[in-house]
Amino acid sequence: MADLKVNIGALSLKNPVMTASGTFGYGEEFADFIDLSRLGGVIVKGTTLHHREGNPYPRMAETPAGMLNAVGLQNKGVDYFIEHIYPRIKDIDTHFLVNVSGASVEDYVATAEKIAALNRIPAIELNISCPNVKEGGMAFGTSCKSAAAVVRAVREAYPKTLIVKLSPNVTDITEIARAVEAEGADAVSLINTLLGMAIDAQRRRPVLSTVTGGLSGACVKPIALRMVWQTYHAVKIPIVGLGGIMNATDAIEFLLAGASAIEVGTANFIDPQISEKIVSGIDEYLDKNHISSVKELIGGLII
Amino acid sequence: MKKYVLDFRITENVKLHDNYALLKLTPADGQPLPEMLPGQFVEVRVDRSPSTFLRRPISINFVDYTQNELWLLIRIAGEGTRTLCGMQAGEILNLVLPLGSTFTLPENPTEKLLLVGGGVGIAPMLYWGKYLKEKGYTPHFLLGFRSDKDLLQYDQFCQLGEVSISTEDGSRGEKGFVTQHSILEQHFDRLYVCGPKPMMVAVARYAREHGLFCEVSLENTMACGVGACLCCVEDTVEGHVCVCKEGPIFNIEKLKWQI
């Protein structure tokens, strides 16, 4: 059995496999299917300062090898999370990270401060990359200046591990990564969904209520891998890689490209047990190749 | 209610019409079926359709615990369901089940119950009718189809209670929509409805006008099936809720339909 432990800044994970925000609820939804304690971490649904109803239905369109979503950060707000959800999940033996989003810098800061007070939440993933909200979200993550401003403000208010989730909908993701690194981010996670669109030709109308939405699933993997690899060569902080990871081999590819940990997202919808299978699959790969620690894979791409 | 990811073997594929198949399934490992309730659904993985990425949510049509069989009635709506309908006996299907909510059992077995199904929407009514009958209730079925040749599972329904039929062209039963059927001149206490949305809205309107209890089964486009992705939401008096988790069965008083 190889050593599966990895580090994201000060945060130590028992293995590199986490579940991506918005694809795994609060973990509880999958407790019938897997042993949550076998995961490196669970990143819970995007949380905002206030309750959000999200976008109108329809919010989803299937695509070849993927799907578009336009959920729009539906959640009951950070206070509801603290009062009702946190007590239910805090004793599960894995790391729960909270994905934090907001419509203004002040919102991000206020939400992060509230989460900082929770003993069992060791890190947040700052979502500056949601493509499905009118205000905030991706607007912060598509310019170096605004990304830096929000990370600077949250960094001052949040002492634990700060992971910043980046948008692929930019000209050069490495510039944004460098900008948030300079403001004290402990890590970056990438990629959030790619902005896409679906049309119903019969009705001559968009499929999604918001016209555009975020593309995820197997189809985005090559883009995500490329961006992780580029970012790995641009920053010194650890990278959490995600985007189209459907199995253990995909996960290993992200580690080789430079990710210190990975997130499994849309694949949870097709196989609710896939996250645990990926943990086992990485372990088997290491044993088979006589590699003693998964850390040896990180950035281990041979060119 | 515990949920499972299980492989099932197809014991029989009954071609009902060009556009429908009835798949009879049994757990591939020979274990007994898990407990499932009427109105609930399963998410079926579609393995051999390159254009199908997500699982397909399919109503539980019937559960036969003595034969250890689960029935899925599937209408061909696209490539995913076409692939499923083309599968053969002996092949394996991977299911996540049971998912979602069930119908509300009436307090009093003497209540008059009308189970209304339209097209493939008759699917959950067969198991619900069987369940009601076993509990001592007397379900009455009102089933609507385009025409005589589209009739589904008529004989099975007849074994569970009285059956009234509406066809749009009048080739079987009464001509017109289910809401025009003369059976509605009788008194019913509760209506349970599954079918195309315009049909459900029409029945809900009838229920509202007559002050009747009415539950409908929704089929919003969904991804995860377990309340995680929040894609399949319905707008309700409690805000956006997941059809896959809080539904698919909803009391019409909870919905924000224009009725």
Side-chain angles (χ1 to χ4, degrees):
Chain A
M1 207 143 140
D3 179 11
L4 290 177
K5 283 199 289 294
V6 295
N7 299 310
I8 305 295
L11 177 65
S12 175
L13 303 178
K14 64 177 93 172
N15 65 61
V17 181
M18 297 193 281
T19 53
S21 177
T23 67
F24 208 66
Y26 297 95
E28 305 166 300
E29 291 84 347
F30 290 79
D32 279 348
F33 306 121
I34 65 162
D35 176 1
L36 294 169
S37 74
R38 285 204 65 210
L39 300 179
V42 171
I43 306 182
V44 305
K45 176 71 193 159
T47 302
T48 50
L49 187 57
H50 303 295
H51 170 103
R52 285 182 58 94
E53 272 300 304
N55 293 320
Y57 179 86
R59 293 176 170 184
M60 195 275 285
E62 189 179 31
T63 71
M67 60 178 273
L68 290 155
N69 90 81
V71 172
L73 294 174
Q74 179 178 331
N75 79 103
K76 291 185 172 167
V78 67
D79 291 336
Y80 183 91
F81 171 78
I82 292 168
E83 203 174 320
H84 297 280
I85 297 164
Y86 177 67
R88 296 203 301 259
I89 61 175
K90 70 180 174 54
D91 295 322
I92 298 171
D93 181 25
T94 187
H95 286 309
F96 280 89
L97 280 64
V98 177
N99 179 288
V100 170
S101 200
S104 66
V105 172
E106 294 73 27
D107 280 9
Y108 278 102
V109 170
T111 308
E113 279 176 338
K114 285 172 186 259
I115 299 294
L118 305 175
N119 286 333
R120 295 277 295 143
I121 307 288
I124 59 172
E125 180 178 61
L126 202 67
N127 182 357
I128 57 168
S129 44
C130 176
N132 294 323
V133 290
K134 284 196 191 102
E135 294 172 326
M138 195 170 87
F140 284 103
T142 48
S143 93
C144 291
K145 203 177 153 199
S146 56
V150 66
V151 172
R152 187 183 313 139
V154 172
R155 179 73 286 176
E156 276 178 29
Y158 187 78
K160 300 189 216 174
T161 302
L162 173 60
I163 304 168
V164 181
K165 189 169 185 177
L166 304 182
S167 171
N169 304 301
V170 292
T171 311
D172 183 356
I173 198 166
T174 64
E175 285 181 10
I176 313 284
R178 274 195 286 257
V180 304
E181 179 184 40
E183 297 299 340
D186 295 305
V188 285
S189 56
L190 58 136
I191 57 173
N192 205 321
T193 54
L194 285 142
L195 198 59
M197 182 170 170
I199 292 174
D200 181 338
Q202 213 53 47
R203 296 170 56 242
R204 301 190 217 170
R205 283 173 169 80
V207 177
L208 299 172
S209 68
T210 48
V211 185
T212 61
L215 182 67
S216 65
C219 57
V220 309
K221 192 190 81 171
I223 300 168
L225 262 183
R226 182 264 294 179
M227 289 188 168
V228 165
W229 180 72
Q230 287 178 323
T231 305
Y232 180 67
H233 292 284
V235 298
K236 294 191 174 61
I237 52 176
I239 296 165
V240 181
L242 72 152
I245 295 177
M246 303 302 289
N247 52 49
T249 307
D250 291 343
I252 290 160
E253 292 170 16
F254 275 82
L255 298 173
L256 291 170
S260 293
I262 60 99
E263 296 177 23
V264 183
T266 306
N268 293 309
F269 305 157
I270 292 123
D271 181 357
Q273 298 171 323
I274 192 65
S275 53
E276 198 177 349
K277 288 178 187 167
I278 289 175
V279 176
S280 304
I282 293 172
D283 197 22
E284 284 163 23
Y285 174 91
L286 295 172
D287 282 350
K288 204 173 162 188
N289 292 281
H290 311 292
I291 300 168
S292 60
S293 165
V294 71
K295 287 177 188 153
E296 292 173 41
L297 293 182
I298 300 168
L301 183 69
I302 301 162
I303 294 182
Chain B
M1 199 168 203
K2 187 166 162 60
K3 298 187 274 285
Y4 302 84
V5 187
L6 292 175
D7 280 339
F8 281 74
R9 178 172 291 105
I10 299 173
T11 54
E12 196 180 356
N13 178 346
V14 187
K15 274 255 177 262
L16 297 179
H17 298 290
D18 288 349
N19 289 326
Y20 299 90
L22 174 66
L23 297 183
K24 297 185 177 181
L25 310 168
T26 195
D29 60 5
Q31 292 295 306
L33 289 167
E35 189 191 359
M36 289 171 262
L37 294 171
Q40 292 190 299
F41 67 98
V42 303
E43 281 257 49
V44 187
R45 200 178 68 208
V46 187
D47 290 334
R48 267 169 296 164
S49 165
S51 66
T52 307
F53 183 66
L54 297 165
R55 287 175 182 262
R56 290 292 179 265
I58 307 286
S59 267
I60 292 171
N61 174 227
F62 196 71
V63 182
D64 186 339
Y65 287 105
T66 56
Q67 298 290 318
N68 210 33
E69 258 184 6
L70 163 67
W71 295 8
L72 303 178
L73 177 63
I74 303 174
R75 180 176 71 92
I76 297 175
E79 284 313 308
T81 44
R82 187 184 306 283
T83 303
L84 292 176
C85 287
M87 291 185 74
Q88 304 297 321
E91 292 189 287
I92 300 292
L93 274 183
N94 183 268
L95 269 53
V96 180
L97 81 168
L99 301 172
S101 61
T102 182
F103 296 106
T104 306
L105 196 69
E107 288 152 30
N108 188 342
T110 61
E111 282 187 52
K112 299 233 352 167
L113 312 177
L114 187 64
L115 280 54
V116 188
V120 76
I122 65 143
M125 295 306 166
L126 191 67
Y127 185 35
W128 180 221
K130 178 206 179 206
Y131 188 92
L132 286 167
K133 194 181 176 203
E134 283 175 357
K135 300 250 179 224
Y137 295 81
T138 312
H140 191 123
F141 301 96
L142 172 57
L143 310 179
F145 302 98
R146 287 226 173 85
S147 78
D148 185 35
K149 66 176 170 53
D150 299 311
L151 221 63
L152 296 163
Q153 297 186 312
Y154 178 73
D155 294 339
Q156 280 95 340
F157 279 105
C158 286
Q159 289 168 23
L160 300 171
E162 274 186 64
V163 183
S164 303
I165 301 286
S166 285
T167 52
E168 288 174 33
D169 63 2
S171 55
R172 183 77 172 258
E174 293 187 17
K175 185 174 173 154
F177 297 116
V178 289
T179 41
Q180 297 165 309
H181 199 284
S182 61
I183 191 74
L184 290 173
E185 290 161 17
Q186 295 181 23
H187 169 75
F188 287 96
D189 297 297
R190 291 178 187 241
L191 306 177
Y192 301 95
V193 197
C194 184
K197 186 159 177 191
M199 185 205 100
M200 292 198 289
V201 171
V203 178
R205 188 176 297 125
Y206 171 88
R208 180 75 59 83
E209 283 166 7
H210 293 78
L212 305 179
F213 173 100
C214 181
E215 281 180 341
V216 294
S217 174
L218 304 190
E219 55 165 6
N220 294 7
T221 313
M222 56 182 69
C224 74
V226 295
C229 70
L230 312 185
C231 287
C232 64
V233 292
E234 179 71 19
D235 199 13
T236 72
V237 293
E238 292 158 10
H240 282 144
V241 303
C242 288
V243 167
C244 69
K245 193 177 175 190
E246 281 87 354
I249 311 304
F250 288 93
N251 191 301
I252 57 165
E253 299 308 323
K254 256 196 159 184
L255 301 175
K256 286 197 175 168
W257 285 1
Q258 302 296 315
I259 50 179

